Amino acid sequence: MEMHTSESTPLQGVEGAGIEGDLPALRINRTPTGVQAKEALAQTDLDDPELYFNRELSHLQFNIRVLEQALDDAHPLLNRLMFLLIFSSNMDEFFEIRVAGLKHQIALNDDTTSVDGRLPKAVLADISDIAHRQIARQYQILNETLLPALEAQGLRFRRRDQWTEAQKAWVRTFFDTEIMPVISPIGLDPSHPFPRLVNKSLNFIVELEGKDAFGRSGGMAILPAPRSLPRLIALPRALCAESFAEYVFLSSMIHAHAEELFPGMRVLGCYQFRLTRNADLSVDPEEVSDLASALKGELLARRYGSGVRLEVANNCPEGLTDFLLRQFDLGQEDLYRVEGPVNLTRMMSVLGDVDRPELRYRPFTPSVPKALKEGSLFDAIAKQDLLLHHPFQSFSPIEELLREAARDPDVLAIKQTLYRTGGDSSIVGALVDAASQGKEVTVVIELRARFDEADNLQLASRLQEAGAIVIYGIMAYKTHAKMLHIVRREKGELRHYAHLGTGNYHARTAKLYTDYSLLTANQTLCADVHRVFQQLSGMGQARRIDTLLHAPFTLHPKLIEMIDREAQFAAKGKRSHIIIKCNSLTEPKLIKALYRASQAGVKCDLIIRGMCCLRPGVKGVSENIRVRSIIGRFLEHTRVFHFHNGGKPEIWCSSADFMPRNMFHRVETCFPLKDKKLANRVRKDLETYLVDNCQSWLLQSDGSYQLQSPGAGDAISAQETLLYAFASKS
């Protein structure tokens, strides 16, 4: 996500920009040479709950940082709207998973606390307080800031009381022809109990007066909005004001003509509402013999999980909201009154409908390294390791490598993991082609990738029909590693090629997320990748892995060992430095290792986009730790770990975050960058993030985040620096 809308220019006064080329290297955040050995501190209890932030509240803070982008006029206007809608989508998932989990824990009378020591009820109360304030603020930003700004740019969202006579006539026709034939009002009486409503669906509760054709007295009815219809409809150009594009909400159309759905009766009130349900899937590995079949059943159940949040129009009478809360077994703390559409995420459609490039981020073309532009990709990779930094560099070489492998008669076998891939993936198409041509294709598909389960079930069926061997990984461990392994016959011998990445094999998100991709023919690395695939597909004891770190086996202990190694260097008065960049930091033992390193004098720079349970700046514990979160045009997704290692720096890239689930309950890989040039390039990238003063939020010891400002100095956006460095070379 990009901060500036003006043309990119080289940053002045910045010593290096973290990329290849003629820019000098940055020299920042270094522990000075000649530092004195650190005296041992009095023993501190690193299990003290006061040293840790609550995971769920930290997650909520990340969502709030996303919302803040909607107020930042350094972003183009439509992208500010996008951030506001992303906040809405993020909060939906937060309630579906995190709040639902806390409610389930409370229902079981389980008072188990996390490392911060807070009881589930206390956490849930804090979430309710913060979420109510921030969701109200979200609608205030929409109504008072973004909608007026969009209207000033010729984009108008028409309320019912703003419709012209011609627009009213058009809406009436649309209602009669498109809505009336598919809408199904449900009167509530003893023979028509309250219906089961789909998770996050748009509905209306209607108050009625009078008698119907069967003599039943009016009361209440539920009106589910047709799921087949868009929630936002563009008015015909001829009905719009000059030079305006105008939209109306489906909810407004239904409100305007609700009485026609109940002929002969009087509609006293019609109020939109939406129920958010528990959407977490639960599959017991001890009770499942067929994971795919079990997941199909769970996917149906997800639509009707227990309620966790009720959103209603702000003018809905208290009697009706109380009635709805009783139906869903919710309390007043679960009620959210909103001043606008209850399903804001559905406004995303306007972002694709509006052709106003001046209101969006400047488009860019990701670059492709020269070595990958000509000839066989196998020849290029055989000569040297190649590293791509998405989205600044293109994801297309990975897709092209698979296409080349599919048609190359010398390729014998392809193995790949798929976690989130996309329904129309060209990668899956290449794997299908390879299997159809008789190559040995083995695909490890993680069916339990949250909210992508249905797509992954379809991908599995497509691959199996083509003749590929499809494996669903290990039942109790999600396969989250990003690996591709290709075996090719060259001059009578077998040669191995591999791709290892920090992100998913998903072409669309590769344009939106920052990730690293390593293409290598290093036979040690490739052999390790081969062994991991064998372990996933077969059975037996853990195989020896020489170079890769591998969760749930060696990754966690090795990371602690490398952190402790830096502490030992610092304690001896030697230069030491740790830089960790990942999405979340919640695993207690890793946090304690970082605390020990800080106590020993190690400078620890942590770039943690989302959840962070580590408390920085605590005297005697974490004074040497700085935590920042980068929020911008692109979603920061790289997992990279730098250790100074006594002057022999190591750079590791990984599919894993510093979370318990990644370390102990998932199959993950973490790979070193053996090529010094590539490792140095990534270190410079990390240092570029550390001087960002436009999109960087510093975590304070009280749990708040402080947005960094360039002040009177030069504005430095890490994402724009990288975008300029790579995309301008395309």
Side-chain angles (χ1 to χ4, degrees):
M1 300 173 190
E2 181 61 71
M3 233 20 199
H4 305 293
T5 57
S6 59
E7 286 298 314
S8 292
T9 55
L11 296 174
Q12 300 298 315
V14 181
E15 198 180 344
I19 39 76
E20 295 175 332
D22 55 2
L23 296 173
L26 289 170
R27 290 291 180 264
I28 57 169
N29 295 320
R30 298 294 193 188
T31 304
T33 55
V35 66
Q36 297 301 308
K38 188 85 171 178
E39 291 186 10
L41 295 170
Q43 188 65 34
T44 304
D45 181 9
L46 297 183
D47 290 315
D48 184 351
E50 290 296 316
L51 294 177
Y52 300 88
F53 295 126
N54 180 266
R55 168 195 162 127
E56 321 304 347
L57 296 178
S58 181
H59 192 168
L60 198 50
Q61 285 292 327
F62 164 68
N63 290 341
I64 294 169
R65 293 196 296 281
V66 172
L67 178 60
E68 289 291 334
Q69 308 306 306
L71 289 170
D72 189 342
D73 58 11
H75 296 298
L77 184 55
L78 284 175
N79 294 108
R80 290 170 60 191
L81 175 64
M82 177 194 72
F83 279 113
L84 182 122
L85 303 182
I86 290 174
F87 170 80
S88 188
S89 176
N90 286 356
M91 291 301 290
D92 284 351
E93 183 174 343
F94 182 78
F95 276 91
E96 289 174 301
I97 306 300
R98 308 315 317 172
V99 172
L102 286 168
K103 282 180 171 285
H104 182 66
Q105 187 178 350
I106 292 168
L108 295 176
N109 294 316
D110 180 359
D111 281 341
T112 303
T113 63
S114 55
V115 69
D116 65 294
R118 296 172 62 82
L119 291 169
K121 286 184 179 178
V123 175
L124 199 58
D126 282 348
I127 287 173
S128 178
D129 177 57
I130 296 169
H132 274 91
R133 285 188 278 112
Q134 294 301 327
I135 289 173
R137 183 165 166 259
Q138 174 193 23
Y139 280 88
Q140 184 180 10
I141 293 169
L142 176 68
N143 294 320
E144 298 179 11
T145 303
L146 294 184
L147 291 183
L150 288 164
E151 185 162 350
Q153 292 294 328
L155 300 173
R156 180 180 290 156
F157 297 84
R158 286 275 195 177
R159 299 193 306 267
R160 278 179 292 154
D161 59 5
Q162 297 175 326
W163 293 347
T164 65
E165 291 304 315
Q167 289 170 343
K168 288 178 183 177
W170 184 87
V171 168
R172 173 60 185 265
T173 300
F174 187 94
F175 182 85
D176 289 342
T177 59
E178 301 291 334
I179 300 176
M180 182 69 91
V182 294
I183 200 165
S184 299
I186 303 168
L188 300 182
D189 62 27
S191 63
H192 295 83
F194 198 94
R196 291 184 74 191
L197 302 175
V198 174
N199 182 31
K200 298 185 294 187
S201 59
L202 172 63
N203 302 278
F204 302 83
I205 185 166
V206 184
E207 275 190 302
L208 299 168
E209 184 179 73
K211 291 189 176 183
D212 72 358
F214 297 96
R216 296 175 296 181
S217 295
M220 285 188 289
I222 298 298
L223 198 55
R227 299 176 66 212
S228 58
L229 295 177
R231 297 302 187 247
L232 196 62
I233 296 102
L235 288 168
R237 176 64 65 182
L239 299 180
C240 299
E242 186 177 354
S243 71
F244 269 80
E246 300 189 345
Y247 298 84
V248 294
F249 287 95
L250 178 68
S251 55
S252 296
M253 293 182 169
I254 293 174
H255 273 132
H257 296 283
E259 212 155 79
E260 296 177 33
L261 297 166
F262 306 95
M265 303 187 75
R266 183 182 173 206
V267 173
L268 301 178
C270 178
Y271 310 98
Q272 58 178 315
F273 72 92
R274 187 176 76 143
L275 176 69
T276 307
R277 296 182 180 273
N278 182 340
D280 207 6
L281 297 185
S282 177
V283 178
D284 188 341
E286 295 183 0
E287 297 182 1
V288 171
S289 58
D290 183 342
L291 178 60
S293 297
L295 268 178
K296 289 176 183 176
E298 284 291 319
L299 286 173
L300 292 173
R302 170 184 277 170
R303 298 166 64 187
Y304 299 105
S306 57
V308 294
R309 174 182 61 166
L310 176 65
E311 297 166 281
V312 300
N314 64 338
N315 62 341
C316 186
E318 188 173 339
L320 293 185
T321 59
D322 288 345
F323 171 77
L324 290 171
L325 290 171
R326 289 194 299 273
Q327 295 300 315
F328 304 129
D329 195 23
L330 295 173
Q332 286 292 331
E333 69 277 6
D334 304 310
L335 176 67
Y336 290 77
R337 292 182 174 275
V338 300
E339 192 173 349
V342 296
N343 51 342
L344 281 182
T345 306
R346 298 295 288 270
M347 286 183 70
M348 282 283 189
S349 62
V350 77
L351 300 178
D353 184 67
V354 175
D355 184 20
R356 295 287 299 277
E358 74 277 15
L359 300 181
R360 302 175 185 274
Y361 293 125
R362 288 176 294 104
F364 69 97
T365 303
S367 63
V368 176
K370 184 178 180 181
L372 295 174
K373 286 183 177 180
E374 300 174 0
S376 166
L377 294 181
F378 289 113
D379 291 344
I381 299 167
K383 291 177 183 176
Q384 61 181 328
D385 284 359
L386 295 159
L387 187 72
L388 301 172
H389 193 176
H390 314 303
F392 317 109
Q393 292 179 295
S394 178
F395 184 73
S396 62
I398 291 90
E399 298 173 298
E400 181 54 39
L401 177 64
L402 274 165
R403 284 192 287 265
E404 183 177 340
R407 61 179 181 260
D408 186 340
D410 293 326
V411 168
L412 306 179
I414 302 172
K415 295 182 180 180
Q416 185 164 13
T417 59
L418 296 180
Y419 189 75
R420 301 188 194 277
T421 305
D424 57 350
S425 169
S426 65
I427 281 178
V428 174
L431 292 170
V432 166
D433 290 344
S436 300
Q437 294 180 38
K439 300 183 190 302
E440 296 296 324
V441 176
T442 304
V443 185
V444 182
I445 296 183
E446 181 47 69
L447 294 182
R448 294 161 295 175
R450 184 176 290 150
F451 300 118
D452 279 332
E453 298 94 343
D455 281 346
N456 286 357
L457 283 165
Q458 292 178 358
L459 294 178
S461 296
R462 184 181 171 196
L463 286 162
Q464 286 170 328
E465 289 170 3
I469 298 171
V470 174
I471 298 165
Y472 299 140
I474 310 301
M475 185 64 207
Y477 300 87
K478 285 187 179 182
T479 302
H480 193 247
K482 325 300 182 187
M483 303 183 298
L484 167 64
H485 179 239
I486 299 172
V487 180
R488 188 171 186 251
R489 190 179 300 281
E490 298 177 4
K491 298 179 180 179
E493 296 183 356
L494 297 185
R495 185 74 184 268
H496 297 254
Y497 296 84
H499 168 267
L500 291 159
T502 66
N504 299 305
Y505 291 104
H506 197 304
R508 187 178 66 84
T509 58
K511 297 176 181 177
L512 304 172
Y513 294 9
T514 67
D515 274 305
Y516 284 112
S517 280
L518 177 68
L519 294 164
T520 182
N522 179 288
Q523 295 306 287
T524 303
L525 269 179
C526 290
D528 281 354
V529 171
H530 175 59
R531 292 187 190 106
V532 174
F533 272 114
Q534 286 184 317
Q535 193 162 288
L536 286 169
S537 61
M539 299 186 75
Q541 294 294 311
R543 295 174 180 269
R544 176 183 172 184
I545 307 294
D546 294 322
T547 305
L548 289 179
L549 302 181
H550 181 205
F553 304 109
T554 60
L555 177 56
H556 184 260
K558 184 63 176 179
L559 285 171
I560 289 179
E561 178 187 318
M562 289 190 287
I563 294 170
D564 287 344
R565 182 181 63 190
E566 290 299 309
Q568 292 165 11
F569 282 123
K572 295 175 182 177
K574 296 183 178 181
R575 176 189 291 181
S576 58
H577 192 198
I578 294 172
I579 308 175
I580 291 169
K581 185 175 185 294
C582 60
N583 299 328
S584 298
L585 170 58
T586 63
E587 204 286 304
K589 291 181 180 178
L590 288 169
I591 292 175
K592 282 187 274 191
L594 289 166
Y595 283 156
R596 292 194 300 270
S598 172
Q599 289 175 321
V602 180
K603 294 294 183 184
C604 302
D605 281 300
L606 312 181
I607 307 166
I608 313 296
R609 187 195 78 219
M611 294 178 286
C612 181
C613 295
L614 178 149
R615 185 187 293 270
V618 177
K619 187 175 181 180
V621 177
S622 56
E623 292 164 295
N624 293 311
I625 301 177
R626 288 185 296 179
V627 180
R628 70 191 68 230
S629 173
I630 306 289
I631 309 291
R633 172 176 183 172
F634 306 111
L635 183 81
E636 289 298 332
H637 197 250
T638 49
R639 290 96 167 194
V640 187
F641 320 134
H642 162 80
F643 301 96
H644 184 67
N645 189 29
K648 299 178 181 178
E650 292 184 1
I651 291 280
W652 297 78
C653 298
S654 181
S655 61
D657 287 306
F658 276 36
M659 300 177 71
R661 70 186 188 192
N662 299 93
M663 297 295 153
F664 310 121
H665 305 292
R666 290 186 172 185
V667 177
E668 306 273 13
T669 53
C670 180
F671 53 96
L673 295 182
K674 292 291 190 180
D675 185 297
K676 289 185 178 181
K677 182 179 178 182
L678 298 182
N680 189 51
R681 171 186 147 191
V682 171
R683 179 186 61 78
K684 292 177 183 177
D685 288 353
L686 290 173
E687 292 178 339
T688 303
Y689 282 105
L690 295 180
V691 294
D692 186 302
N693 57 20
C694 293
Q695 300 166 322
S696 180
W697 298 73
L698 279 187
L699 176 58
Q700 309 299 300
S701 59
D702 63 358
S704 63
Y705 280 81
Q706 185 177 89
L707 178 62
Q708 299 304 285
S709 170
D714 293 318
I716 305 171
S717 162
Q719 291 187 356
E720 179 151 320
T721 300
L722 293 167
L723 188 62
Y724 165 77
F726 287 116
S728 63
K729 297 178 181 178
S730 62

